[in-house]
Amino acid sequence: MEHSFISSILEISYMSLYAITLVFALWRYPKYFDTPLRYLPILFLYTFLNELLGNLVAIDENIALTFSDLTDNSIIYNLYTIISYLYYYYVFWSFSKNPIAKKYILYGGIIFLISCGINVFLQSFASDSQVISYTIGGCVLLFCTISYLWHFIFLKQKFEYKQTILFWLSLGLSIFYMGYLPLKINWFYDAARGLGASYTSKIFHLSLIIIMYSFFVIGFYKMKRPLSKIVIM
């Protein structure tokens, strides 16, 4: 009973945060509409609708998403993973002023796409979570975010980094993927042994989502122009 109550609270919280983040992103849109971040509201809206549809598929067996009347929601999240990863790569690549870093991000994106193609032959894209491509893509994204945060530590110029949305996006994404990638791999091995995800791991996952989107909201609340002052790795 207690477990069910906690899970319900966390599920309501993270879905609410999706909507709140979208509202804050639209509120601050005039401050970044002319930057590579201008597609963030679309991504957040897609995230919210994607999660909503994924939950409906999980609880309603009458919803069919493939020609074989498959009711699994994996295809929804697999498509979302590719789109979100590629967009975040584009954002960090665009803001980067370092030719070497831009090259690494480009190569990382190519490796991710290749892993997506390979993963399709190993697991069903329609019914299985693409663990290999998700993990590789997450590592590439962590390279982007951690490199950005690492660069900020050694900045000498006086600039309020807490007022840059990219800082808060990087912080939120870093915390989420550092916690979730090991969990994702562990779930895969547990599933291979016929074991389901534990209650603790589910709570940890939801908590990571809440933390990440809380940082996003803080970033939009604190952000100021001009974004041209943002310096990346």
Side-chain angles (χ1 to χ4, degrees):
M1 183 68 177
E2 181 181 351
H3 288 179
S4 178
F5 175 76
I6 296 176
S7 297
S8 298
I9 293 297
L10 290 177
E11 288 174 1
I12 294 174
S13 298
Y14 90 85
M15 288 298 293
S16 299
L17 267 174
Y18 284 155
I20 293 172
T21 302
L22 176 60
V23 170
F24 271 75
L26 292 173
W27 171 44
R28 291 298 196 184
Y29 192 71
K31 295 182 178 296
Y32 63 91
F33 74 94
D34 55 347
T35 75
L37 295 170
R38 60 184 174 274
Y39 301 112
L40 271 180
I42 298 176
L43 179 63
F44 291 146
L45 176 60
Y46 177 45
T47 302
F48 177 75
L49 295 178
N50 184 77
E51 193 67 30
L52 187 62
L53 181 59
N55 287 333
L56 288 175
V57 171
I59 63 178
D60 191 343
E61 297 181 354
N62 295 320
I63 299 178
L65 295 181
T66 66
F67 295 106
S68 60
D69 293 327
L70 184 66
T71 57
D72 195 284
N73 59 8
S74 294
I75 189 172
I76 300 174
Y77 294 108
N78 290 334
L79 288 172
Y80 172 77
T81 295
I82 295 175
I83 294 173
S84 60
Y85 274 166
L86 291 179
Y87 176 65
Y88 282 127
Y89 298 161
Y90 161 73
V91 167
F92 285 99
W93 181 88
S94 298
F95 277 109
S96 176
K97 304 303 180 184
N98 186 329
I100 297 178
K102 291 175 77 76
K103 185 181 296 185
Y104 284 155
I105 295 173
L106 178 61
Y107 290 162
I110 293 174
I111 292 173
F112 166 65
L113 288 176
I114 293 175
S115 71
C116 289
I118 295 174
N119 211 154
V120 169
F121 292 99
L122 301 176
Q123 296 174 290
S124 170
F125 190 83
S127 60
D128 295 327
S129 177
Q130 305 291 281
V131 179
I132 296 175
S133 58
Y134 188 97
T135 303
I136 292 176
C139 289
V140 174
L141 184 55
L142 276 175
F143 165 78
C144 298
T145 59
I146 293 177
S147 296
Y148 180 81
L149 295 173
W150 183 259
H151 181 80
F152 253 123
I153 295 176
F154 297 102
L155 280 181
K156 294 182 179 180
Q157 61 263 43
K158 300 298 182 181
F159 179 68
E160 293 295 332
Y161 62 85
K162 292 181 180 179
Q163 295 175 349
T164 65
I165 181 59
L166 202 56
F167 169 80
W168 293 98
L169 285 174
S170 299
L171 188 59
L173 289 168
S174 295
I175 292 175
F176 177 80
Y177 282 99
M178 283 191 293
Y180 185 61
L181 287 180
L183 186 63
K184 181 87 170 179
I185 296 172
N186 183 66
W187 280 349
F188 173 74
Y189 283 113
D190 282 347
R193 294 181 295 169
L195 302 176
S198 67
Y199 169 79
T200 302
S201 65
K202 292 180 180 178
I203 294 300
F204 182 60
H205 178 210
L206 293 178
S207 299
L208 286 172
I209 295 176
I210 292 172
I211 292 172
M212 177 172 63
Y213 277 87
S214 295
F215 280 130
F216 290 176
V217 171
I218 293 173
F220 283 116
Y221 178 76
K222 288 180 171 289
M223 76 175 296
K224 291 184 179 180
R225 290 282 285 176
L227 283 181
S228 59
K229 289 186 178 180
I230 294 180
V231 181
I232 197 171
M233 62 279 188

